[in-house]
Amino acid sequence: MTNVPTPISTNDASQYAATALRASRTFIYVIFSLFLTAGLTLVYLSLSLDASQVEHSEADAVRALESRQDKIGTALADYAFWTDAYNYTHESVDTEWAFERDNIGSSLFSTYGLDGVFIVGPTGATRYAIVDGELSDVAARDWVAGDLLALLGEARRESAEDGIAYAYFSVRELPAVISAAVIRPNSSYDQFDELSYLVFIDVLTDAKLMGMEEAFNLGGLQATLGALTDGDRPLLMVEKNIGTAVTLQWESEALGRSILIKFLPLLFLLGVLVAILVSGLRKRVINASIMIEAAQRALSVSEQRFKNISEASSDWIWETDPDQTLTYLSERFTQLTGLPRHDWIGRPLPELLTYEKAMLASVAEHSNATGRKPILCEMRDSDDSLHYCQLFACEVRVGEQLQGYQGTVCDITQEIEAKAHIEHISHHDSLTGLANRHHLNHYLDNRLNEGLSGDHPLFLLALDLDRFKPINDTFGHAAGDLVLREVADAITRCTRETDLVARLGGDEFIVVATDCRTYERAERLCQRLIEQINQPIRIDGNDVNVGTSIGIVAAPYHGLTAEQLLRYADIALYEAKSNGRNLFRFYEPTMNERIMERRQLEMDMRQALRRQEFRLDFQPRYDASSQTIVGAEALVRWLHPVRDLLSPASFIPLAEETGLIFELSDWVLHEACLNALSWSGNLMVSVNLSPVEFQRSDLVERIAAVLERTGIAPHRLELEITESVMLEDAASALMMMNNLKALGVRLSMDDFGTGYSSLGYLRTYPFDGIKIDRSFIMGLDQSKSSQALVDAIVSMGHALSLTVTAEGIETAEQLGKVVELACDQAQGFYLGRPVSPLLFKQIVGVAELS
C-alpha cells in the first residue's frame, strides 16, 4: 500500500502561524534595536569628531606659534652670537656697519616680518633702534609695555647654553613676542655687565595672524592680551614666567555636527521604510512557514521509504537453522568472496566468519527492540585474503518457535583500511614517515602523565638543519625533499626503537629520548646526530652537506607539559644557532630571559624608527701625511628611552635578523648625505652596508634614490663593505657592486685582513679603497711583524691603485708608523672621536680657517 502524507490540520497551521508571528516580531525588535544603535552611534561619533577637531586645532595653534618663534629665535641666535656683531656693537654701535651695510638692518623686517629691532645696554638703555624697517630714536622701554630688564636677565642665563629668551608683551596695545639674546664673542665670555643685548620684536598683527590662519587652517584666528575664559570658540592661552599671557582664539569647523544634521534624518527615513517592508513580510513569513512544514512532512515520508529499502538490501544474504548451520547463501556471496555457495551450505556460519555464537543469538533476539546492531567479524576469501565484515542478524520465528536466523554481511575492508590509513596520516609526516606534531603531542602527554623521576628523565631534542635553504634554492624542492628523507633516516639510525622521532615541518625535527638516563648520554646522542647528519648526501652527481643545531630539555627538570618542553627546546635551539653551527645546547632559565629581552628590544626598535630615536655621529678621516680632514664615517647610535645610548653592536645584528636593517640603512644613508651637503669643501662621507642588504635585489635602486633625493655628488659617498658579502654569493655580489660603481659612488673593503680571501677579492671586485683592520694597527708600534704586515698591505693596495686607510689609531706612535709606511688616510680616537653633526661641522670650519 502506498503511503500518503497526512494533511496538515487547522490546529497545526495555527501553531505554525503563531511560531512565524513570534519570529517576525523578534525580527522587528532586532531591526529597531539596530537602527537605534546606529542613531546613537552616529551621534556619539559626530560629537567625538568635533572634540577631536578641537584638539587637533589646538595642536596646530601651538605649532603655528612655535614655528614662527623657532624661525625668529634661530635668526636671533645667529646674529647675537656673531663675532662681527660683538665687534661692531660692543663699545658703541657702528650704524654704518649695522644699518647702512644691512648687517642688522631693514632686511630683518622683510625676511622675518619683524616690527622692531633694538640693541640695548646692560642696564636696558637703548643704543640702536629700528622700527618698521627705519632707524628710530624711540627707546625700547617706551615701545614695549613690560618688564624688559627681567627678559634681559633671562637672556643672560640662557647665554651659557647658547640659548635665547623670549616672552609675550604688549606693543602698541597688541600682543607681541619679544626675543632677546646676549651679543657676545664666544660662549665662555661671562662679563655681562659690559655686554649689549639684541632684541627682536614680533607684533602679532592681523596680517601675521592671517598667514598663520592659512598655513595651519585656523579660521578666524585672533590674539588677545591676557587670559580669556570664553568657551564658545576654541582657545589656547600661552604664557611665560615673564611678561603677560596671550590668548589665541579661532573658529572650529564642527564637521561632526554638520554630518549629524545631514544623516540623522536620512537614517530616520530609512528606518520608516524598513519598518513598512518588514510589516509587509510578516504575512509572507506565516504563509511560507505553513508551506515549509507541509514539504517537510512529505520529505519525512520519502526518507522513511528510502530507509526501508536500503535496510532490505545487502552485500550478501545468509540464513541458518537454530544451530547456526548455513541453509542459504545469496548469489552475491560467490561474486564477492570467490567461494562456491554449495561448499558452504550445511557448514557452521562461525567457520566462515569469526564471531561468537552466543553473541549472534543475543543480537538477533534483541534486533527488533534495539534496532539492527552489527557484529564486527573477519573472513578469508578464495585467495586467502583477509576481509573485515559487519554481520547483521535477526531471528526467524513461527509463532513462538525459533526456526533459525537470517541476515546480511557487509564487507567493510576498504573502510577499515581507509580509516587505518587516515589514522596513520594524521599521526605521521607524509614525506619522511616520521611522527608529526599531533602524534608527538599525544605521545608526550601520555609519557608525562605516566610520571617521570630524576632517576629516569625524558630528554627532548629539537633539531634544525643548517645550510638547508641554499640546497632548496640551488637544486629545487625535489632535492630538498630527498635531503629531508636522508636526514630522517640518519636520525632514526642514531636512536633506539623506544625513542620517538618526529618532523614538525620544514627542516625541524624532534627526538624524544626515553633511555638516556643522564646528561652525558644525551650529549653523546647529540654528537652522534651531528656526525651522522653532516655526512655528504649525493644529489644529481653532487655531494651536498647539511649540518644541524640542537636544543635540549629534560623532563621533569625543565618542564612537565609538552608545550613547556617544546618551547624551552626551541629557546635552547635558538641559543645553539646564535653561538654558531653544528652545536647543541641544554636549556637554561637564563636563555628565556635573553629571548624575552631580545623580543622587547625588537619591539623597541620598531618604535624607535617611528619616534626618530636614532642619531648619527661622524668620526673624521684624515690625510695621513698632512693630517687634514678628507671626510668622515657615519656611525649610527640609538638613544634608547630606557637603556640610554646604545652602540651599533647592541642592535644591528637584531635589525639584520628581523629585516629592520633596510629601513634603518635608508635613514642612515639619507641623513649622512644630507649632513655631507652642509660641509664646506669636497669632503666625502662613508657609510657601512650590512651583508644582509646584498641579499635583496633593490640595493642599487635604494642607493640611487638617496643620491637623487639629497642631490649629493656620487663620488662624495663611500660605501664600506665587509668580506662576508662576497662569501654568501660571489657572483651576485660582483654584479651588484659593478652596478653600484656605475652610479659613481666609491666602494671600500672594511676590516681588510681579517678574512680568508681578501687578496683575491681586491683583484676581482671594483673596490676604490681598503681599510686596514684595527687589529693590525694595535701592535704597530710594538711589533715588527705587525709593521711588516701593514707595509705589505699598503704596498699591495698602492700596486692596485687603491686608497689605503688605517683605522683604530689611538697613539701618536701609531700615527707616526702609519705615516712612515705611506698609508694614504688615517682614522682613530687619537685623531678624532665620533662627534655630533653640528660639532663635526664646526671642526671642519675651524680646520679650513687654520
Side-chain angles (χ1 to χ4, degrees):
M1 180 180 294
T2 304
N3 293 326
V4 179
T6 304
I8 299 176
S9 66
T10 305
N11 291 334
D12 291 338
S14 299
Q15 292 178 358
Y16 302 147
T19 302
L21 183 61
R22 288 194 297 272
S24 64
R25 187 180 298 116
T26 302
F27 177 72
I28 292 174
Y29 291 155
V30 170
I31 293 297
F32 175 78
S33 300
L34 290 176
F35 272 91
L36 180 60
T37 303
L40 294 176
T41 302
L42 181 61
V43 173
Y44 172 78
L45 292 177
S46 299
L47 296 178
S48 300
L49 178 59
D50 286 345
S52 176
Q53 279 187 310
V54 171
E55 292 178 0
H56 186 270
S57 62
E58 288 176 355
D60 287 341
V62 171
R63 287 199 301 272
L65 277 178
E66 290 177 347
S67 173
R68 186 164 184 84
Q69 180 56 33
D70 288 346
K71 178 180 178 182
I72 295 175
T74 302
L76 177 61
D78 290 341
Y79 279 89
F81 304 150
W82 183 16
T83 305
D84 286 352
Y86 171 80
N87 293 335
Y88 286 98
T89 63
H90 175 54
E91 297 293 339
S92 62
V93 178
D94 186 344
T95 305
E96 192 276 336
W97 176 87
F99 186 81
E100 298 298 333
R101 292 164 57 184
D102 200 20
N103 285 302
I104 305 179
S106 59
S107 62
L108 291 172
F109 293 77
S110 60
T111 304
Y112 301 102
L114 298 177
D115 297 277
V117 176
F118 294 86
I119 297 178
V120 299
T123 62
T126 300
R127 295 181 174 178
Y128 174 76
I130 306 175
V131 176
D132 296 330
E134 300 293 337
L135 284 174
S136 176
D137 296 331
V138 67
R141 292 177 177 175
D142 298 333
W143 211 56
V144 177
D147 190 358
L148 190 59
L149 289 178
L151 181 61
L152 299 181
E154 182 70 17
R156 285 196 299 274
R157 289 186 290 273
E158 292 292 335
S159 177
E161 298 297 331
D162 291 343
I164 67 167
Y166 74 95
Y168 301 96
F169 292 93
S170 173
V171 174
R172 301 172 179 171
E173 297 184 354
L174 292 174
V177 183
I178 314 299
S179 305
V182 178
I183 301 176
R184 54 170 173 73
N186 54 61
S187 59
S188 63
Y189 197 90
D190 58 357
Q191 301 299 320
F192 296 104
D193 55 344
E194 301 176 3
L195 297 177
S196 298
Y197 299 83
L198 181 59
V199 179
F200 282 2
I201 298 177
D202 181 26
V203 180
L204 299 178
T205 62
D206 290 342
K208 295 176 183 177
L209 291 174
M210 185 174 296
M212 296 165 63
E213 171 184 330
E214 294 176 354
F216 292 89
N217 196 23
L218 299 170
L221 180 64
Q222 294 180 347
T224 308
L225 289 168
L228 299 181
T229 59
D230 184 5
D232 294 336
R233 302 166 61 198
L235 58 84
L236 173 68
M237 189 187 75
V238 293
E239 185 177 13
K240 303 289 288 185
N241 57 354
I242 304 169
T244 185
V246 173
T247 301
L248 298 179
Q249 285 186 295
W250 60 91
E251 299 292 342
S252 177
E253 293 182 1
L255 181 59
R257 187 176 304 170
S258 63
I259 292 175
L260 188 63
I261 293 173
K262 291 179 180 178
F263 288 98
L264 197 57
L266 294 177
L267 184 63
F268 175 77
L269 292 176
L270 181 61
V272 172
L273 179 60
V274 171
I276 294 173
L277 293 175
V278 170
S279 177
L281 289 175
R282 290 186 62 193
K283 293 181 179 180
R284 293 178 178 270
V285 170
I286 296 172
N287 293 333
S289 64
I290 297 175
M291 295 174 63
I292 291 173
E293 186 64 20
Q296 288 179 340
R297 180 74 61 83
L299 179 62
S300 177
V301 172
S302 176
E303 287 177 345
Q304 185 63 43
R305 184 183 298 114
F306 176 79
K307 181 178 180 182
N308 294 337
I309 295 174
S310 63
E311 287 180 347
S313 64
S314 61
D315 283 286
W316 51 274
I317 303 171
W318 56 269
E319 291 182 2
T320 67
D321 60 15
D323 294 327
Q324 300 184 20
T325 300
L326 284 168
T327 60
Y328 171 79
L329 289 170
S330 66
E331 293 182 359
R332 296 202 65 194
F333 170 77
T334 301
Q335 297 174 3
L336 295 174
T337 65
L339 300 172
R341 287 190 299 163
H342 58 82
D343 286 352
W344 284 95
I345 299 298
R347 295 175 63 177
L349 181 61
E351 287 187 16
L352 179 63
L353 303 170
T354 57
Y355 69 92
E356 295 182 4
K357 293 180 65 175
M359 180 179 292
L360 185 143
S362 175
V363 170
E365 181 181 0
H366 299 92
S367 62
N368 293 329
T370 61
R372 300 182 65 190
K373 182 179 179 181
I375 301 172
L376 297 179
C377 55
E378 299 175 1
M379 69 166 288
R380 293 188 177 275
D381 61 12
S382 58
D383 297 327
D384 201 32
S385 298
L386 182 64
H387 289 257
Y388 300 96
C389 304
Q390 283 183 332
L391 174 64
F392 295 91
C394 62
E395 293 180 337
V396 178
R397 289 181 178 272
V398 176
E400 297 296 326
Q401 183 69 33
L402 177 66
Q403 300 296 316
Y405 302 95
Q406 64 182 195
T408 60
V409 174
C410 177
D411 191 332
I412 58 171
T413 303
Q414 291 184 347
E415 179 182 346
I416 294 294
E417 291 178 349
K419 286 183 178 180
H421 181 64
I422 293 172
E423 181 72 12
H424 183 272
I425 291 176
S426 67
H427 287 81
H428 292 81
D429 174 49
S430 60
L431 177 64
T432 62
L434 300 178
N436 60 12
R437 187 184 296 272
H438 177 71
H439 188 178
L440 172 65
N441 288 331
H442 183 72
Y443 178 83
L444 286 175
D445 289 339
N446 289 338
R447 288 304 306 268
L448 294 173
N449 289 334
E450 293 173 0
L452 299 171
S453 66
D455 297 333
H456 194 177
L458 180 147
F459 287 90
L460 188 145
L461 286 63
L463 292 80
D464 188 84
L465 300 185
D466 303 328
R467 303 184 301 275
F468 176 71
K469 186 177 183 300
I471 295 175
N472 245 348
D473 295 341
T474 304
F475 296 99
H477 291 287
D481 291 345
L482 173 62
V483 170
L484 291 174
R485 287 193 292 268
E486 291 291 335
V487 170
D489 292 342
I491 296 175
T492 304
R493 290 195 299 270
C494 295
T495 55
R496 304 181 182 184
E497 292 184 358
T498 55
D499 299 335
L500 177 72
V501 181
R503 177 180 175 235
L504 300 187
D507 58 351
E508 300 178 33
F509 296 86
I510 295 291
V511 174
V512 182
T514 58
D515 292 325
C516 278
R517 304 275 182 175
T518 64
Y519 278 76
E520 291 76 11
R521 291 185 180 180
E523 288 181 0
R524 289 197 292 271
L525 173 59
C526 291
Q527 290 167 353
R528 289 199 306 272
L529 288 168
I530 292 174
E531 179 181 349
Q532 284 295 317
I533 294 174
N534 272 272
Q535 295 299 316
I537 299 174
R538 196 74 174 173
I539 298 178
D540 295 335
N542 300 298
D543 285 337
V544 298
N545 293 85
V546 294
T548 185
S549 301
I550 306 176
I552 316 163
V553 292
Y557 304 117
H558 298 141
L560 290 173
T561 67
E563 180 182 1
Q564 287 178 331
L565 294 177
L566 290 171
R567 181 159 60 90
Y568 293 155
D570 192 55
I571 292 174
L573 173 62
Y574 177 82
E575 190 77 12
K577 279 188 168 294
S578 300
N579 293 333
R581 305 290 177 174
N582 284 327
L583 297 176
F584 61 87
R585 290 290 182 269
F586 284 92
Y587 171 76
E588 298 176 2
T590 55
M591 294 179 180
N592 195 29
E593 297 173 4
R594 287 195 291 271
I595 290 292
M596 297 304 295
E597 181 179 355
R598 173 188 173 278
R599 290 176 179 169
Q600 183 61 49
L601 190 64
E602 178 183 348
M603 290 188 292
D604 291 346
M605 190 183 304
R606 295 184 186 277
Q607 296 293 330
L609 288 167
R610 290 191 288 269
R611 296 174 181 170
Q612 298 182 348
E613 295 175 1
F614 292 102
R615 77 178 202 193
L616 286 186
D617 285 348
F618 292 92
Q619 186 173 20
R621 281 171 62 176
Y622 291 85
D623 181 271
S625 58
S626 64
Q627 271 105 69
T628 58
I629 296 178
V630 296
E633 180 178 359
L635 302 171
V636 64
R637 303 288 188 263
W638 181 5
L639 189 58
H640 194 280
V642 176
R643 305 185 186 188
D644 205 11
L645 193 64
L646 298 180
S647 67
S650 304
F651 58 87
I652 290 297
L654 180 59
E656 292 176 333
E657 184 176 340
T658 58
L660 293 173
I661 189 65
F662 301 101
E663 187 176 351
L664 178 58
S665 179
D666 286 342
W667 179 86
V668 171
L669 284 163
H670 186 267
E671 290 298 313
C673 291
L674 282 183
N675 277 277
L677 288 174
S678 67
W679 303 339
S680 57
N682 200 27
L683 302 182
M684 69 176 176
V685 61
S686 60
V687 178
N688 291 279
L689 290 183
S690 166
V692 177
E693 297 185 70
F694 280 81
Q695 296 175 8
R696 283 200 344 195
S697 59
D698 62 345
L699 175 60
V700 178
E701 288 76 7
R702 289 170 45 220
I703 300 298
V706 170
L707 295 175
E708 182 178 355
R709 285 198 305 269
T710 60
I712 191 172
H715 69 272
R716 295 186 61 191
L717 174 61
E718 180 179 81
L719 303 177
E720 296 189 11
I721 303 168
T722 60
E723 183 183 343
S724 58
V725 170
M726 284 73 79
L727 292 175
E728 291 292 334
D729 189 344
S732 176
L734 177 59
M735 181 177 65
M736 200 168 294
M737 290 168 67
N738 284 329
N739 291 335
L740 288 173
K741 281 299 298 176
L743 297 177
V745 299
R746 290 175 51 84
L747 300 180
S748 176
M749 179 182 282
D750 197 13
D751 301 332
F752 181 79
T754 59
Y756 298 102
S757 307
S758 297
L759 298 179
Y761 292 148
L762 292 181
R763 295 173 57 87
T764 306
Y765 293 85
F767 287 107
D768 298 285
I770 57 175
K771 295 185 75 173
I772 304 176
D773 187 70
R774 64 180 65 248
S775 60
F776 295 99
I777 305 300
M778 290 175 58
L780 192 60
D781 54 345
Q782 300 174 356
S783 169
K784 291 185 178 181
S785 61
S786 295
Q787 294 181 27
L789 283 172
V790 173
D791 186 27
I793 293 173
V794 172
S795 299
M796 178 197 62
H798 287 167
L800 296 174
S801 300
L802 300 177
T803 300
V804 182
T805 302
E807 59 179 347
I809 296 175
E810 298 183 356
T811 66
E813 291 78 9
Q814 292 173 354
L815 177 60
K817 290 294 184 182
V818 165
V819 174
E820 180 182 336
L821 294 174
C823 273
D824 300 303
Q825 296 177 7
Q827 178 181 344
F829 282 2
Y830 176 74
L831 293 168
R833 291 177 175 270
V835 295
S836 68
L838 179 60
L839 187 54
F840 180 76
K841 185 176 178 180
Q842 294 174 354
I843 292 172
V844 172
V846 171
E848 286 192 345
L849 291 175
S850 61

